[in-house]
Amino acid sequence: MYEANKKMLVGVCFVLHAVMVNGQTITQQLEVAFQKFQSDTQLNHATISLYVTETSGVVVYEKNSQIGLAPASTQKIFTAAAAYELLGRSYRYKTYIGYDIGFRNHQLLGNLYIEGNGDPTLGSFRWKSTRDTAVLEKITGALQRHGIGRINGDVWIDDVKFGINPVPGGWTWEDLGNYYGAGSWGFNWRENQYDLIFRPSVTVGGFAEFSGTRPKMYDLKLDSWIKTGPRGSGDNGYVYTAPYSKDGFVTGTIPQENIEFSISGSMPQPSYQFGRELLSFIRSRDIHINGQLKLYTDSVKRKSTVRKAMLYMDSIISPPMDSIIYYFLQKSINLYGETLLNTISKENFSIGDHEKGIELIQNLWKNKGIDPSEINIVDGSGLSPTNRVTTHAQVSVLLLARNQPWYHGFLEALPEYNGMKMKSGTIHGVKGFCGYHRSGNGKEYAFSFLVNNYHGNASTLVQKMYRVLDVLK
């Protein structure tokens, strides 16, 4: 009898709780969830901001929405939306194949030129048309169609359309040599990324054997101090190189369980790597080259004169902007963000410049009613820990995007987490989510949720953030 009464009491409490929750407005439910989240010990010293609106613009919930916080990769929504607005959904990059003198007796009398315009997809594995072999075949095929069996001059790579500094301000030394810290150059290749291959030691704490790179990196010397961590410890290896450097080192640990394990680094000078691969590929097709590889960046640094193409024999065209932004947001590729920023500048000022690109983005959103001081950024990807944005600005951009002809592509590009279409962001001490959700009753919401200076496990924090966002379901 006692057990039956106890079960009945529990049932009544459950029903009463459900009634109370269902009787609350969405705003009240968010307040309860937020207060519970905020009181968690993991957030004792954190700054938290949450801003939620209906897609009509009606504010549903606001907490610290005017405080600038580090957004990590949620910042990418500003760059993606600006690229759609300022470049267009059909925008394509063009890389030109040119020459300066002419042909005679199956010879290119002068120089061969590959004129880069910042295409971030050249050599990327993500599209069939952009893969390394497809690009190299395209160039070689252009020479063969003109009957060229010998290049009497040099092979010039124009890699200066974004200037000579590929890295925006605020990026840390720990990030620069790793794949996610790849700079944006006037000529990008293989997403400016390569893999370092290791064989773990049979003993935990022993040095891992460094067995080379994929692809083969030309003239790059790397010293390895990578050790072997316990099984399940994951990738904790870091590559330390700087732009233009020929030397670097690798530290940290890799897990013991794999026979072979790879970590990914950023190319110190992608145009040089491309050039060396191109020369090798051309020669493999029985086309002789009398001259040498020449890079515009090297000449500009020495303040030397550069040669320019007079005529073009072909061009390599990138996938459209829709497709680029899809991978930019889905895979959170920092290189794409910096390249889009530089491209926005280049299309307006004839040269890619990070600061000018940021100014154009801030002016774009200012003209649409967002205070530029709410978008205090130094890069296009969110990698810098010095970026500061407000959740109000992020939601404002999401709301503006819904009324644009490119909205469908933008929405499709957002990843899905926790059953919601939203961009995530992660750097040290920072976690964020920003996106859209349609609730079970058909209400559509736009939201931004940023946490700075939390401590403890990131995956644990994410589950707690999900529980707050679950209110919108």
Side-chain angles (χ1 to χ4, degrees):
M1 184 68 177
Y2 172 77
E3 287 298 323
N5 288 336
K6 183 178 179 183
K7 288 180 181 178
M8 182 180 294
L9 181 61
V10 170
V12 169
C13 289
F14 178 80
V15 171
L16 287 173
H17 175 73
V19 170
M20 289 173 64
V21 170
N22 290 333
Q24 290 179 323
T25 65
I26 190 72
T27 300
Q28 290 169 328
Q29 292 178 52
L30 282 169
E31 176 64 19
V32 170
F34 187 88
Q35 290 301 326
K36 182 179 179 182
F37 176 78
Q38 185 175 238
S39 64
D40 192 285
T41 56
Q42 193 173 7
L43 301 160
N44 281 347
H45 309 289
T47 303
I48 311 163
S49 179
L50 175 62
Y51 190 56
V52 182
T53 73
E54 295 180 8
T55 49
S56 63
V58 174
V59 178
V60 174
Y61 187 79
E62 182 277 333
K63 194 71 173 182
N64 297 329
S65 68
Q66 293 292 337
I67 293 179
L69 297 177
S73 281
T74 65
Q75 182 169 305
K76 289 180 170 69
I77 66 158
F78 292 113
T79 309
Y84 269 130
E85 278 288 284
L86 299 174
L87 299 174
R89 62 187 303 181
S90 300
Y91 182 91
R92 293 174 185 258
Y93 292 87
K94 290 185 179 180
T95 303
Y96 294 99
I97 307 165
Y99 57 97
D100 55 6
I101 299 180
F103 320 110
R104 189 173 62 215
N105 298 329
H106 305 293
Q107 297 182 56
L108 179 60
L109 300 177
N111 303 308
L112 174 68
Y113 296 86
I114 311 299
E115 183 183 307
N117 282 289
D119 184 354
T121 72
L122 280 178
S124 171
F125 65 90
R126 302 181 197 279
W127 299 268
K128 184 177 180 180
S129 64
T130 65
R131 290 174 186 166
D132 53 353
T133 51
V135 173
L136 297 172
E137 288 282 8
K138 178 90 171 181
I139 296 169
T140 307
L143 295 171
Q144 291 171 331
R145 284 196 306 276
H146 285 78
I148 296 170
R150 180 182 297 275
I151 299 171
N152 281 334
D154 298 315
V155 176
W156 282 84
I157 312 296
D158 181 348
D159 56 354
V160 295
K161 296 294 174 61
F162 293 168
I164 62 170
N165 181 10
V167 180
W171 283 17
T172 68
W173 170 232
E174 187 176 56
D175 291 335
L176 288 182
N178 298 285
Y179 74 94
Y180 52 83
S184 173
W185 302 70
F187 196 101
N188 300 300
W189 179 239
R190 297 178 181 269
E191 296 187 355
N192 301 346
Q193 177 179 330
Y194 67 98
D195 293 333
L196 299 86
I197 313 302
F198 296 90
R199 292 183 179 275
S201 170
V202 295
T203 58
V204 172
F207 282 104
E209 177 189 347
F210 177 37
S211 56
T213 64
R214 187 185 301 125
K216 172 190 173 183
M217 290 295 292
Y218 290 91
D219 298 344
L220 177 62
K221 179 180 177 295
L222 293 168
D223 295 320
S224 175
W225 288 286
I226 287 281
K227 291 187 176 182
T228 304
R231 292 179 182 276
S233 58
D235 177 3
N236 291 293
Y238 291 90
V239 186
Y240 290 88
T241 55
Y244 301 102
S245 63
K246 300 293 185 183
D247 296 278
F249 61 94
V250 195
T251 65
T253 64
I254 59 171
Q256 190 182 45
E257 61 263 28
N258 296 318
I259 296 174
E260 183 178 279
F261 192 88
S262 65
I263 64 176
S264 297
S266 65
M267 292 182 180
Q269 192 171 13
S271 57
Y272 179 76
Q273 177 68 22
F274 165 78
R276 290 293 299 269
E277 290 185 39
L278 177 62
L279 264 60
S280 177
F281 195 87
I282 289 174
R283 286 166 175 151
S284 75
R285 296 301 191 267
D286 294 325
I287 300 174
H288 301 282
I289 304 171
N290 289 346
Q292 300 175 325
L293 173 65
K294 302 281 188 178
L295 305 178
Y296 276 36
T297 47
D298 290 345
S299 294
V300 169
K301 286 191 297 178
R302 292 194 302 266
K303 299 181 181 178
S304 301
T305 303
V306 296
R307 304 293 184 103
K308 292 188 177 183
M310 304 297 291
L311 298 166
Y312 297 109
M313 62 178 80
D314 208 341
S315 64
I316 303 165
I317 301 175
S318 77
M321 183 61 66
D322 250 344
S323 190
I324 292 171
I325 286 181
Y326 176 82
Y327 284 108
F328 172 45
L329 296 182
Q330 280 281 324
K331 301 301 181 182
S332 206
I333 306 170
N334 293 333
L335 166 66
Y336 286 15
E338 305 317 319
T339 299
L340 292 172
L341 192 69
N342 277 320
T343 305
I344 288 169
S345 169
K346 177 178 171 293
E347 291 298 321
N348 285 271
F349 299 107
S350 298
I351 188 167
D353 180 274
H354 263 85
E355 291 185 3
K356 291 184 184 297
I358 289 167
E359 182 182 343
L360 287 165
I361 288 177
Q362 288 175 322
N363 285 339
L364 167 68
W365 301 125
K366 177 184 178 180
N367 292 335
K368 294 181 182 295
I370 303 174
D371 187 336
S373 63
E374 289 191 61
I375 308 174
N376 186 11
I377 58 176
V378 299
D379 64 22
S381 63
L383 182 60
S384 172
T386 64
N387 290 305
R388 294 292 182 271
V389 308
T390 68
T391 54
H392 172 266
Q394 290 191 307
V395 170
S396 297
V397 169
L398 293 174
L399 295 176
L400 289 165
R402 290 192 79 256
N403 299 314
Q404 305 306 316
W406 43 262
Y407 171 68
H408 177 73
F410 180 74
L411 180 64
E412 285 299 304
L414 289 172
E416 185 172 307
Y417 300 102
N418 192 40
M420 297 174 158
K421 293 288 285 184
M422 56 187 182
K423 185 71 192 78
S424 69
T426 307
I427 55 176
H428 181 70
V430 174
K431 190 66 194 178
F433 293 103
C434 178
Y436 306 97
H437 185 66
R438 181 191 289 271
S439 69
N441 64 11
K443 283 276 190 181
E444 291 186 79
Y445 300 101
F447 61 87
S448 176
F449 192 4
L450 296 179
V451 178
N452 280 199
N453 201 44
Y454 71 91
H455 70 276
N457 185 273
S459 59
T460 302
L461 176 72
V462 166
Q463 295 306 313
K464 295 170 184 175
M465 294 177 75
Y466 284 170
R467 285 197 284 273
V468 177
L469 294 174
D470 281 346
V471 173
L472 301 179
K473 294 182 176 180

